[in-house]
Amino acid sequence: MAFETRQTDVPVSERALHFLKALVERYIRDGQPVGSRTLAKDTGLDLSPATVRNVMADLEDLGLVASPHTSAGRVPTVAGYRLFVDSLLTVRPPSEDDISSLRTRFDVRADAKSLIETASNLLSGITHLAGVVMLPRHERNVFRQIELLPLSDARVLAILVTSEGEVHNRIVHTERRFTPSELEQAANYLNQIFTGQDIKDVRKRLVDDLRHTHTNMDQLMLRAVALAHDLVETAERRDDCFIAGQTNLMEFGELASMERIKQLFDAFTQKREILHILDRCIAADGVQIFIGEESGYALLGDCSLVTTAYRVEDQVVGVLGVIGPTRMDYQRVIPIVDVTARLLAAALRQ
């Protein structure tokens, strides 16, 4: 198992690194600012309280720890966590017994969506964080057929079928009633032009047609293009993810305020930014770790994401991981994310 590390130019002595490691591990465990006396005990070094305070002051000057409010203790900063994860963390892969136990949770007879849901529940259940799994992505999704059916009150039911067997539909209010023969003519027009083409290419063509009205296109065909555009846009945005265990985050004091939880739940509901972060991991090797502001998403500023891609037939088709507070137990979480990705990939291959 491998995970991506990032080089740091912060000059830190061996003794300071020893203290930083002890401080981060203690803060992950307790969630409380760590004082000099506690650190002295945890490190087992025979140092005076003044020496310990000096080392802590050095770490603070380097931006690796901070003093919250008036507390005498320190907490890790994003830079401190980053140095800890990149240089001080020893990750041990799960035992064969643990892997075997996890494997039994995947029903290889289930469909892809059920397996994805199992993986997200498994991640949240084991880590007590929020588990997130992107649905498998297909490299090519092709326009197969569109149907336009009349409904009452000047409404049209538009149905699009793609090569992946996906069916998308939308009810659209129109400016006038269209007869069944008119809608059939419009659907035939669209099918003749777009059947067999990639959905992305279809959408680009439709956008162009809407922007630059062709002289040979009558009002019915223009309406058909507008109907198809909305539907194709829905089909193109089919990437989605399962998120499980959001309520686990309420157990962490730093995330448990009502306003903070509301913001996080809004982010989980909308999914757009989370999917964008996962999308950035598609081409990356190994486990990716975003700590706090590194995700580029303000609402996750107090959180970390540990993610990795999963593959089917040596092709990356999706990303999974966990979302939790920055003080998550990285040593335990990283191998769980890695092995879950491998087990999901194995189940999807069956």
Side-chain angles (χ1 to χ4, degrees):
M1 177 184 59
F3 64 94
E4 185 183 80
T5 61
R6 308 180 189 188
Q7 295 299 318
T8 177
D9 296 326
V10 179
V12 189
S13 68
E14 287 296 323
R15 184 166 66 181
L17 287 174
H18 188 62
F19 272 82
L20 177 64
K21 184 174 188 292
L23 183 146
V24 173
E25 289 174 343
R26 167 65 72 163
Y27 186 67
I28 286 173
R29 189 162 61 248
D30 297 343
Q32 298 295 324
V34 184
S36 299
R37 185 173 298 179
T38 300
L39 268 182
K41 291 180 181 178
D42 286 355
T43 57
L45 298 177
D46 186 16
L47 299 172
S48 68
T51 301
V52 176
R53 285 194 295 271
N54 287 337
V55 175
M56 295 299 288
D58 290 341
L59 289 173
E60 190 164 5
D61 290 341
L62 291 169
L64 300 173
V65 302
S67 302
H69 310 300
T70 58
S71 170
R74 265 79 164 191
V75 299
T77 63
V78 169
Y81 280 120
R82 174 51 61 191
L83 184 57
F84 171 78
V85 167
D86 288 352
S87 305
L88 306 174
L89 188 65
T90 302
V91 177
R92 297 178 181 175
S95 68
E96 286 301 319
D97 287 342
D98 288 338
I99 294 175
S100 178
S101 177
L102 291 171
R103 186 180 289 115
T104 60
R105 299 283 298 276
F106 286 97
D107 182 358
V108 296
R109 297 166 298 179
D111 59 25
K113 283 193 175 182
S114 296
L115 290 171
I116 298 301
E117 193 169 4
T118 294
S120 60
N121 286 323
L122 191 58
L123 285 167
S124 68
I126 294 176
T127 64
H128 301 290
L129 303 171
V132 55
V133 186
M134 179 190 287
L135 287 171
R137 162 177 291 182
H138 307 283
E139 289 302 315
R140 182 170 164 81
N141 198 22
V142 172
F143 184 110
R144 179 181 290 174
Q145 183 180 6
I146 193 168
E147 287 189 59
L148 303 174
L149 303 175
L151 300 175
S152 60
D153 301 326
R155 295 177 303 158
V156 172
L157 173 61
I159 304 170
L160 172 67
V161 182
T162 72
S163 62
E164 297 295 337
E166 296 170 344
V167 179
H168 303 270
N169 57 73
R170 174 171 291 192
I171 296 176
V172 182
H173 292 268
T174 58
E175 68 279 1
R176 71 171 179 88
R177 292 174 181 264
F178 290 100
T179 66
S181 61
E182 285 179 318
L183 293 177
E184 183 180 0
Q185 180 186 357
N188 289 340
Y189 167 79
L190 294 169
N191 289 325
Q192 183 178 1
I193 295 175
F194 297 121
T195 295
Q197 293 189 31
D198 189 278
I199 288 291
K200 290 183 179 180
D201 295 333
V202 171
R203 192 175 78 84
K204 289 176 183 176
R205 168 71 183 276
L206 291 169
V207 169
D208 180 68
D209 283 349
L210 288 172
R211 286 178 178 169
H212 308 96
T213 303
H214 297 286
T215 55
N216 62 340
M217 191 181 294
D218 62 28
Q219 288 302 309
L220 177 60
M221 298 310 150
L222 277 175
R223 193 54 177 147
V225 167
L227 287 169
H229 172 264
D230 291 343
L231 199 53
V232 166
E233 192 173 44
T234 300
E236 191 181 15
R237 292 198 312 263
R238 73 195 191 286
D239 283 343
D240 200 355
C241 60
F242 278 100
I243 302 177
Q246 299 96 312
T247 55
N248 289 336
L249 303 185
M250 298 175 69
E251 299 175 10
F252 298 91
E254 61 268 44
L255 302 178
S257 73
M258 289 306 297
E259 181 60 27
R260 194 72 191 87
I261 285 294
K262 181 180 181 301
Q263 291 175 342
L264 283 173
F265 276 38
D266 284 346
F268 291 140
T269 301
Q270 294 176 8
K271 297 183 183 179
R272 187 182 303 109
E273 294 294 341
I274 292 173
L275 277 167
H276 178 67
I277 297 168
L278 297 179
D279 198 49
R280 288 156 54 188
C281 303
I282 285 284
D285 292 326
V287 176
Q288 305 293 300
I289 303 169
F290 299 91
I291 302 171
E293 64 214 25
E294 292 176 354
S295 71
Y297 187 24
L299 287 182
L300 297 181
D302 299 324
C303 298
S304 287
L305 291 84
V306 178
T307 69
T308 193
Y310 62 93
R311 299 170 177 268
V312 174
E313 295 179 356
D314 208 34
Q315 295 292 320
V316 173
V317 294
V319 174
L320 60 74
V322 298
I323 301 172
T326 51
R327 68 177 182 92
M328 71 169 62
D329 187 354
Y330 297 96
Q331 183 172 354
R332 181 168 178 268
V333 167
I334 290 169
I336 289 172
V337 168
D338 180 69
V339 73
T340 302
R342 288 189 278 123
L343 292 174
L344 173 60
L348 288 170
R349 285 194 296 267
Q350 298 298 316

